[in-house]
Amino acid sequence: EKIVIGRFLNISAIGVLSVVSVILFIQLQSLSFQVASEQKQIEELRQSIQQSNSDIQIEVEKQKDLTIVNIAGTFTLLCSVITMFHMSSHLKKMNQPFVQRKIMAILWMSPIYALTSFLSLLLPSASGYFGIVKDFYESYVIYQFLSFLIAVLGRGERQIVVDKLAAHADHLKNPYKWLRCLFHPSPEESDEAKANAVLLECQFLAMQFVFFRPVTAIVSFVLESMREGDEGGFSSPDFIIMMIENVSVFLAFSGLLKFYHAVQDDLAWCQPFAKFLTIKGVVFMTFWQGLVISIIFHANTDNESDKDKDSSSQSDSGYSAKSIQHILICMEMLFFSAAHWCVFPAEEWEEGYQVKHGGGPTFAFDDFASDVNMIIDSGKRSRNARRERKNELDGAKRSPSFGTMDSRNDASEEGEMPTIDSEVV
């Protein structure tokens, strides 16, 4: 009986343990299922949060892009409005059409630069085409400025310009020999022939830039669209095109400066140098500004790519160097349009116009400098006067107390005794 009872108890314990094990197994399976379902929910929630964050970032970027575009568009609109008002003032006072036509061609420069940059922001895929338009008008304005100077000097008559150049024939440099095929008669025949050859040379040198610049811009655009990787070096097509552009620019400006130096006294009344700065300032400022932005942008991109690939992918989603350049150009053209209004006034071409000196808004720096020079000169005069008085006193102390022999003789002749210094006694 004890054996039976023992076996029964063992079987009962085994059964209880088995039931408990089954219950624990079921509970563990249920718990693991709950954990898996909760982990799945957490993963789905994490993915939804990431998606929401990415959507928010995309929306923020869109709003930022829209804000930047609105700012650039506002500056472009203001630039165009100022230029249109300026051009309308010339149209109302078209007293010298042969000159003011050139001015109006020059005034188009600011709105064209601003509009092409703004459209490049809206349509990045077409920015290359807009760049070609910008480059062409840049070269065209350079020639129009030379044509403007010729029109001002000759009042629409080329022969008048030749006669004024002939008056300075002694100071004119001989034209390039490789352009002799364009000159008739030969420059050596007379001063008038030399003046005519120099004028034709200046026009040719400025005009070749009008034809070369669009061609090089188109070739650069085609090469950039066909480029598959980074191609550089002195033998690359880009470098060759850049050298051709630099040579063309050098020739254009050499012709422009040659004409300006020959007749600068005759044109001084219309302040041609200030006008030239407002034109070439657009070109030089945008070029060097774009170069600096490109260098900084690529340097930052290289540093980020070395540190982390994710940061480089984020930088790709931001603004490129060209986009930043377009935004700045839209802003800067507003100020250049205002500068054009100041240096190309319509009143300048009215009959009886007199040059106004100091009539416009100014910071009066010249007056301040004049006052500073006056104070400095006054201090110098005061120091010189004190130095002279000191020298006189030193000379008086070094002279003998009894005076000179001539003074004693003069005193004795007059019947007076010479005075003796009491200190010496």
Side-chain angles (χ1 to χ4, degrees):
E1 292 179 358
K2 292 181 179 179
I3 295 173
V4 173
I5 292 171
R7 290 179 176 177
F8 178 76
L9 291 175
N10 290 334
I11 294 171
S12 299
I14 292 171
V16 171
L17 291 174
S18 300
V19 172
V20 171
S21 299
V22 170
I23 293 172
L24 291 175
F25 178 75
I26 293 173
Q27 289 180 350
L28 288 173
Q29 292 296 323
S30 176
L31 183 61
S32 63
F33 178 77
Q34 291 178 359
V35 170
S37 62
E38 290 179 356
Q39 287 180 348
K40 184 177 180 181
Q41 292 177 358
I42 291 172
E43 183 66 22
E44 292 176 353
L45 182 60
R46 186 178 64 82
Q47 292 178 357
S48 63
I49 292 174
Q50 290 179 351
Q51 184 65 30
S52 299
N53 289 335
S54 62
D55 293 339
I56 292 173
Q57 289 178 356
I58 293 173
E59 189 65 26
V60 170
E61 291 295 331
K62 288 182 179 179
Q63 293 295 328
K64 186 189 299 183
D65 294 342
L66 183 61
T67 302
I68 295 298
V69 170
N70 288 335
I71 293 174
T74 302
F75 276 89
T76 302
L77 180 62
L78 292 175
C79 171
S80 302
V81 169
I82 291 175
T83 303
M84 291 302 108
F85 273 107
H86 191 188
M87 295 175 70
S88 65
S89 66
H90 279 278
L91 290 173
K92 292 178 182 178
K93 301 177 181 179
M94 190 65 72
N95 300 306
Q96 300 183 27
F98 47 86
V99 175
Q100 292 175 278
R101 284 198 304 266
K102 312 296 189 299
I103 294 176
M104 295 181 68
I106 294 171
L107 296 181
W108 277 107
M109 187 178 191
S110 295
I112 286 178
Y113 262 67
L115 188 59
T116 52
S117 297
F118 177 69
L119 292 177
S120 297
L121 288 174
L122 295 179
L123 304 171
S125 59
S127 60
Y129 301 101
F130 297 129
I132 294 173
V133 175
K134 186 190 301 181
D135 293 337
F136 165 73
Y137 208 79
E138 169 195 338
S139 59
Y140 181 69
V141 167
I142 297 301
Y143 177 78
Q144 283 298 325
F145 183 72
L146 175 62
S147 182
F148 161 76
L149 297 180
I150 294 173
V152 172
L153 188 63
R155 298 295 176 178
E157 296 292 335
R158 179 184 176 84
Q159 187 58 40
I160 298 177
V161 181
V162 173
D163 294 338
K164 291 187 177 182
L165 285 174
H168 306 283
D170 296 336
H171 304 287
L172 292 178
K173 295 182 180 180
N174 293 324
Y176 292 120
K177 294 182 179 180
W178 53 275
L179 293 176
R180 282 185 171 275
C181 60
L182 301 176
F183 306 144
H184 181 75
S186 177
E188 289 80 9
E189 293 187 5
S190 63
D191 291 343
E192 183 178 354
K194 182 179 180 181
N196 183 62
V198 169
L199 179 58
L200 189 62
E201 175 197 28
C202 296
Q203 290 180 297
F204 175 81
L205 293 178
M207 189 177 293
Q208 56 83 27
F209 186 49
V210 180
F211 294 101
F212 269 103
R213 183 60 170 153
V215 173
T216 55
I218 293 172
V219 174
S220 298
F221 173 69
V222 173
L223 291 177
E224 185 177 357
S225 61
M226 297 173 60
R227 184 180 301 146
E228 296 180 355
D230 294 336
E231 297 180 2
F234 295 106
S235 60
S236 64
D238 291 337
F239 180 78
I240 296 173
I241 292 173
M242 183 181 67
M243 293 303 299
I244 294 174
E245 288 181 357
N246 289 333
V247 171
S248 180
V249 169
F250 170 76
L251 292 175
F253 278 95
S254 63
L256 182 60
L257 292 176
K258 185 175 184 178
F259 180 81
Y260 171 72
H261 287 306
V263 296
Q264 58 181 344
D265 295 334
D266 299 320
L267 295 173
W269 67 272
C270 67
Q271 300 177 345
F273 187 70
K275 293 176 170 62
F276 174 75
L277 288 181
T278 59
I279 295 172
K280 198 54 189 172
V282 177
V283 180
F284 270 101
M285 185 173 182
T286 53
F287 172 77
W288 290 108
Q289 174 181 274
L291 183 62
V292 172
I293 292 174
S294 179
I295 293 173
I296 295 174
F297 180 84
H298 288 296
N300 292 334
T301 302
D302 293 339
N303 292 332
E304 290 177 354
S305 62
D306 293 337
K307 291 179 181 179
D308 191 3
K309 293 182 179 180
D310 295 336
S311 61
S312 63
S313 62
Q314 291 177 0
S315 64
D316 293 337
S317 62
Y319 290 104
S320 64
K322 290 184 178 180
S323 299
I324 297 174
Q325 170 76 342
H326 293 322
I327 295 169
L328 293 177
I329 288 176
C330 292
M331 296 179 178
E332 292 162 355
M333 289 307 107
L334 173 62
F335 301 100
F336 277 105
S337 62
H340 287 167
W341 190 308
C342 295
V343 300
F344 289 102
E347 297 80 8
E348 194 173 23
W349 311 107
E350 295 179 351
E351 293 294 335
Y353 173 78
Q354 295 182 354
V355 182
K356 299 177 181 179
H357 299 285
T362 176
F363 290 102
F365 288 138
D366 294 339
D367 297 336
F368 177 76
S370 177
D371 294 341
V372 171
N373 290 331
M374 181 268 295
I375 294 174
I376 294 174
D377 292 339
S378 177
K380 290 181 179 179
R381 290 194 299 269
S382 177
R383 287 194 298 272
N384 292 334
R386 289 197 300 270
R387 189 179 297 111
E388 291 176 358
R389 287 197 299 269
K390 184 178 179 181
N391 293 335
E392 292 177 358
L393 292 175
D394 292 341
K397 290 180 179 179
R398 295 192 191 98
S399 62
S401 301
F402 289 101
T404 62
M405 184 62 69
D406 295 337
S407 62
R408 290 197 298 271
N409 293 334
D410 294 340
S412 61
E413 290 177 358
E414 293 176 359
E416 298 179 358
M417 294 297 294
T419 58
I420 300 175
D421 195 345
S422 60
E423 294 181 359
V424 176
V425 177

